[in-house]
Structures are given as C-alpha cells and as structure tokens.
Amino acid sequence: MAALSLSPAFCTGTRPYNQGRRLTAFELLHERVRRVRRERGPWGAELGAGPRDGGRGDKAGTESAAGAGGRGSAGSRPAPGAALNGGLCPQVPELEKATVRILRPERVMGIIRSIKEQGMNKLQVISDFDMTLSRFGCNGRRCPTSHNILDNSRVISEDGKKKLKDLLHHYYPIEIDPNRTLEEKRPLMVEWWTRAHELLLQEKIQKGDIAQIVRESDVMLRDGFNELFDQLHNYNVPLFIFSAGVGDILEEIIRQANVFYSNVNVVSNYMDFDDNGVLTHFKGPLIHTYNKNNSVLQGTEYFQQLSTRTSIILLGDSMGDLTMADGVPSVENILKIGFLNDKVEEQRGKYLDAYDIVLESDETLDVVNGILRYILIET
C-alpha cells in the first residue's frame, strides 16, 4: 500500500466497510499516510479535527478513534466518545447523526440486536419527561419544564415569580454541577423542590386553570414525538414516564399533543385540590432529580405487572435518570440513551461513561425512533 504513495488520503472510520472497499484509518496510520478529514461525509464517524465551531447544537462530536485530535496528527489519542458508527448499523442510519456519541459501539449494537431478538412483547420504554421528551431549547431560547410552565404562568403573582426564579438561579447550577457528588446534591434538591412547592401553595392555584396555563406556555415536545408515541402505542409497548416535574402539567401537555394513549403511565409530583378546586398540597412521595428509583415506587405494582418486559430502553437527561429502571424485577437487556443538553463539554465524560448513547444538543427523537423502527418492524 505504501508504494501507492497516497498523500493525502480521505478516510471515514476505523473499521473496514464492506471488507476492504475503502481504506481504514488504522491502515492509513500504519502506513504513515497523511490523513484529511471530510467535514461531513456519508458515514458520520470521521477522522481529524474536533467538533466544528458554532456553539451548542452545532457540535459534530464524531472524531474517530484512530488519529483524532487534529488534522493529520498521526498517533494522536482518540477523542472521548468517538462515535465510530460509520457503517456500524445500516438499519439505523440515525446513529450516524453528528450529534451522536457512542463510547462502546459494539456493545451498543449487541444490546440493540438482543432487544430485537427478544421481541416487542419483552420491551418497555422508561423515560424522563422534562428536557428528555420535551425540548431543552428552540431558536436560542430555553423551553420551559413542567415546573417552569407553572412558575411563569399568569396565575402566579409577581412576587411569587421572583421568589421561584431566585430558587431556580440558586439550585439549578447545583443540579448540573459535574463536580458535586450525588450525595451532596440530593438534600439540596429536596430543599429546592420543597421550597418551590411551598411557594406554589401560597398562590391558590385553581385546577380549572391548568389546561389554559399549558396552552399559553412555550413548551415544546421534541421533534419526532408523534412517531415515538404512535410506534409504542401501535405495537403495545408500555411507556413509563418517570418525572420529577409536575404530573398535572405533564399529563396536560401530552393530552394536548393528542398522544396520551392507554399504554402511557406517569409517575410524578401531583397536586391535590380541595372541593373548590384550589391547590392545597402536593401528594407524596416527593420526586426530585436524584431519587428517581424504586424507593418512590413502593406500593405501586406497575413494574410487577410488567415482569415479563425484561428489555428496556431508558431515556434521560441527567445522572439521576439512570436509576429509573431500578424497580424492574429482572432485566435482560437495557439500552440507556442520554440527552446531553447543557454544559456539554464539562459533562461529556460522565455522560459517556454512564449512558450507552449520548445525544449532544439534539432536540429531536430521531435516534430513538430509528432504533425503535429497527426493533419493532419485522424484517
């Protein structure tokens, strides 16, 4: 090969495609051929420079494992979370999106294939809601969570809005701080949720206002939500939404999107109203970002009723979402997909270690839908 004097050569991945139809990055590195990255080739995982400039939502995040870290830098260390997904699964082309990062691609494809082999009757989907099924942002602006929808609505006094916003500005940086342990964060999250709920109780919120509050909000579900909910409903796959948000608001969002199907089950923080429809308290137990596990599901029989559903696709956007499947009696396969929405560079390492697939600043459900199409549709 060296006799061909290839200089420079274009390369797109670290593994042979169709048994040698194109040169691999490893071969080029071995023969000391200068490599040039194609910025957006057809196979997603490409060699050379790091993520393109342009801010959140424009990060390619697809450096290859051989020679990544600069144009033509032979022998450089691999970039963390190199996707390596060029040609990895032609049946799921969505995995080649520039927003996708996969640390262990062979393992991921093994899980996906195993879930498909087990069949749709063994599958259930467990998902967070805020900033997972709903969007994190749109056109440079943050989209509201279910709590934010209530906090910023017309039924909240100006003084109440200010106090709730002060809590957000104080506690949200703590929630996403990659340098704090979960043990440090948990009591502070309880403190935040408790104080916020106490402020909401003072506002005498009317149950009859909830639908209008949601209609007037800027909440958006991720692009592709219709396909996700429809696929799961059509194939009778249970969707369990485990949310630290406000259940009444969350359910209304799904209802107004016309996707609150019979296979959807929600566990969240629900409001309780008196006979006049005025908010009096929040029902327990309190669910916050970092206690979404079996401890708050005690007394429910949901997972026991689905004991045969041993294949799980888990969707989340925080470290706290990783424990959402803890109540499942026996798990044979679990695929964890994480939406990395904020502080991408700082949190990338932890997300790649924790989630099988990480979607960076991706406001769609394209990857999830692509995987489900492959699993559910007979081939």
Side-chain angles (χ1 to χ4, degrees):
M1 184 167 69
L4 296 175
S5 299
L6 292 173
S7 181
F10 295 90
C11 51
T12 58
T14 63
R15 290 168 179 74
Y17 172 67
N18 266 3
Q19 296 300 311
R21 279 181 56 191
R22 62 179 67 190
L23 298 175
T24 68
F26 175 80
E27 289 166 335
L28 296 174
L29 180 64
H30 182 266
E31 297 297 330
R32 294 185 173 84
V33 176
R34 185 166 69 86
R35 301 169 309 285
V36 175
R37 169 182 174 164
R38 288 177 59 197
E39 190 65 25
R40 279 187 178 272
W43 296 102
E46 299 181 329
L47 189 67
R52 296 180 296 115
D53 293 333
R56 186 182 296 119
D58 201 24
K59 299 182 183 300
T62 53
E63 299 89 9
S64 177
R71 299 182 190 275
S73 55
S76 302
R77 291 185 61 193
L84 302 182
N85 45 347
L88 186 65
C89 184
Q91 300 93 334
V92 189
E94 291 81 6
L95 287 172
E96 298 174 20
K97 288 185 65 176
T99 56
V100 176
R101 279 185 177 263
I102 303 173
L103 193 62
R104 296 171 287 274
E106 293 86 359
R107 177 179 179 275
V108 168
M109 287 313 306
I111 295 171
I112 293 173
R113 292 189 183 106
S114 183
I115 292 175
K116 182 176 178 66
E117 289 169 5
Q118 290 290 323
M120 67 183 74
N121 293 329
K122 289 289 190 75
L123 177 64
Q124 62 174 306
V125 175
I126 300 173
S127 181
D128 172 51
F129 184 79
D130 290 316
M131 297 185 288
T132 298
L133 294 179
S134 69
R135 292 184 60 141
F136 177 80
C138 181
N139 297 326
R141 296 182 59 185
R142 284 286 302 272
C143 289
T145 65
S146 53
H147 268 112
N148 296 152
I149 290 171
L150 200 55
D151 296 352
N152 300 323
S153 70
R154 57 182 172 79
V155 302
I156 305 298
S157 66
E158 290 305 313
D159 182 58
K161 288 178 181 178
K162 181 182 181 305
K163 290 178 179 177
L164 288 163
K165 185 170 289 187
D166 288 345
L167 292 180
L168 174 67
H169 290 162
H170 176 72
Y171 289 105
Y172 178 67
I174 296 173
E175 179 185 356
I176 64 171
D177 186 348
N179 300 313
R180 288 182 184 250
T181 66
L182 296 184
E183 288 69 27
E184 291 178 279
K185 292 181 179 182
R186 284 191 188 103
L188 294 171
M189 295 302 100
V190 172
E191 190 176 283
W192 181 12
W193 261 250
T194 301
R195 292 177 65 183
H197 287 178
E198 288 173 350
L199 286 172
L200 291 173
L201 294 180
Q202 298 173 19
E203 299 295 326
K204 305 298 181 184
I205 297 167
Q206 298 276 340
K207 184 176 183 178
D209 289 333
I210 291 176
Q212 189 62 27
I213 288 171
V214 170
R215 274 192 290 270
E216 292 173 354
S217 75
D218 295 324
V219 68
M220 298 176 68
L221 295 176
R222 288 188 186 268
D223 293 353
F225 77 89
N226 273 308
E227 181 179 354
L228 174 66
F229 281 82
D230 288 349
Q231 277 197 97
L232 297 178
H233 179 243
N234 292 338
Y235 287 95
N236 296 313
V237 175
L239 171 58
F240 180 70
I241 298 175
F242 200 167
S243 173
V246 182
D248 310 78
I249 300 291
L250 183 164
E251 286 194 5
E252 187 61 30
I253 294 169
I254 301 173
R255 190 174 293 112
Q256 290 186 16
N258 298 312
V259 291
F260 202 165
Y261 299 128
S262 57
N263 65 313
V264 178
N265 191 282
V266 179
V267 169
S268 187
N269 297 299
Y270 283 89
M271 297 183 281
D272 205 5
F273 302 88
D274 62 20
D275 293 340
N276 295 316
V278 178
L279 175 64
T280 58
H281 65 279
F282 279 80
K283 302 174 184 177
L286 175 69
I287 303 173
H288 59 76
T289 308
Y290 297 113
N291 74 336
K292 294 166 74 171
N293 51 48
N294 200 33
S295 66
V296 297
L297 295 175
Q298 292 176 357
T300 69
E301 298 181 357
Y302 179 79
F303 284 136
Q304 283 66 33
Q305 292 169 353
L306 296 177
S307 59
T308 60
R309 301 276 182 169
T310 54
S311 293
I312 297 167
I313 295 178
L314 182 146
L315 311 176
D317 76 301
S318 76
M319 294 295 107
D321 292 329
L322 293 162
T323 59
M324 292 190 297
D326 283 4
V328 179
S330 57
V331 177
E332 293 184 47
N333 305 290
I334 182 166
L335 179 69
K336 299 178 180 180
I337 303 175
F339 290 86
L340 179 48
N341 300 307
D342 203 5
K343 294 188 180 297
V344 173
E345 301 293 336
E346 294 177 41
Q347 300 195 89
R348 178 179 292 138
K350 286 188 175 181
Y351 273 67
L352 285 168
D353 287 337
Y355 284 99
D356 299 305
I357 299 173
V358 176
L359 305 176
E360 294 187 353
S361 304
D362 188 335
E363 296 292 355
T364 78
L365 291 164
D366 292 347
V367 172
V368 180
N369 286 330
I371 291 170
L372 282 171
R373 279 195 298 273
Y374 171 63
I375 290 171
L376 296 174
I377 297 174
E378 297 294 335
T379 55

